[in-house]
Amino acid sequence: MFRIDLVERCKQQDRKAQLALYKQYCDGMFCVAMRFINNRDDAEDVLQEAFIMAFQKIHQFKGEVTFGAWLKRIVINKCLDFLKTRKERAIEIQENTLQIAEDEDWTIDREVSMEEVKQAMLKLPEKYQYVLQLYLLEGFDHEEIGQILGLTNTASRTRLVRGKGYLRAILTKKEHETGS
């Protein structure tokens, strides 16, 4: 069945179409939620809330992006909302201290597994962790990251470069600790 047909049927409150769309996207969106939440139960709860919101707001889906991209943004926003309420603090940044930073070098001194990178990212301050996760793992550009996190493109770029520096330092320190 075509996704666009499913979406149109969901707009008509067709429960079978909603279930079909849910089954089609739940595994992939669960992986997205797990990358942010890192707790199975919480990720499942956030995912359920995201799907409920998506079905409530499905009339806003205009097909300008794929349905998966539209849903992914909802899941990510729900994850960030969950993390903010859990931590009970908002990400703050002073825009007047930012400068555009460009650094396309993502190399490190040794081969590092994706799991090592993910674990190192968990040690970063949230404001860098979120930007790195959205950029590296989810494939969003700075404009999209800015929209999701409420940042300017400059702030997104700066956080990416700084976060990458911190990430590199964590991975380099680990390399020295293991004697590699």
Side-chain angles (χ1 to χ4, degrees), residues 35-111:
R35 285 194 291 263
F36 280 89
I37 308 286
N38 213 22
N39 175 295
R40 185 173 195 80
D41 293 333
D42 291 337
E44 287 174 355
D45 290 344
V46 168
L47 183 63
Q48 288 303 114
E49 290 178 25
F51 270 101
I52 290 168
M53 176 181 270
F55 290 134
Q56 288 173 342
K57 307 242 180 213
I58 199 156
H59 63 280
Q60 294 177 358
F61 176 70
K62 305 293 184 211
E64 296 163 351
V65 295
T66 65
F67 181 79
W70 183 79
L71 180 60
K72 187 177 194 180
R73 182 165 282 176
I74 291 172
V75 171
I76 289 169
N77 284 331
K78 281 293 186 185
C79 289
L80 296 176
D81 289 345
F82 172 82
L83 292 170
K84 284 178 189 175
T85 56
R86 189 174 71 183
K87 301 274 186 198
E88 296 183 358
R89 64 182 176 161
I91 298 170
E92 295 180 14
I93 190 159
Q94 295 178 351
E95 298 291 334
N96 59 352
T97 62
L98 297 177
Q99 300 173 347
I100 294 180
E102 294 294 336
D103 181 4
E104 295 301 322
D105 180 18
W106 285 92
T107 59
I108 51 177
D109 294 335
R110 65 179 184 98
E111 280 191 33

Side-chain angles (χ1 to χ4, degrees), residues 114-132:
M114 181 57 97
E115 191 56 38
E116 288 176 300
V117 172
K118 288 179 182 177
Q119 291 303 313
M121 283 175 61
L122 293 174
K123 297 176 183 176
L124 296 174
E126 288 177 354
K127 64 183 182 180
Y128 303 123
Q129 187 183 87
Y130 294 159
V131 171
L132 278 168

Side-chain angles (χ1 to χ4, degrees), residues 124-175:
L124 296 174
E126 288 177 354
K127 64 183 182 180
Y128 303 123
Q129 187 183 87
Y130 294 159
V131 171
L132 278 168
Q133 209 165 342
L134 291 169
Y135 187 84
L136 293 176
L137 301 178
E138 306 304 331
F140 287 108
D141 63 28
H142 292 294
E143 186 175 332
E144 293 168 322
I145 293 169
Q147 290 172 353
I148 291 168
L149 297 177
L151 303 172
T152 64
N153 288 359
T154 302
S156 175
R157 282 187 176 88
T158 300
R159 287 186 185 185
L160 179 69
V161 170
R162 289 181 184 165
K164 183 171 55 172
Y166 289 134
L167 183 63
R168 187 178 283 137
I170 290 168
L171 292 170
T172 301
K173 181 179 178 193
K174 181 177 173 103
E175 176 181 301

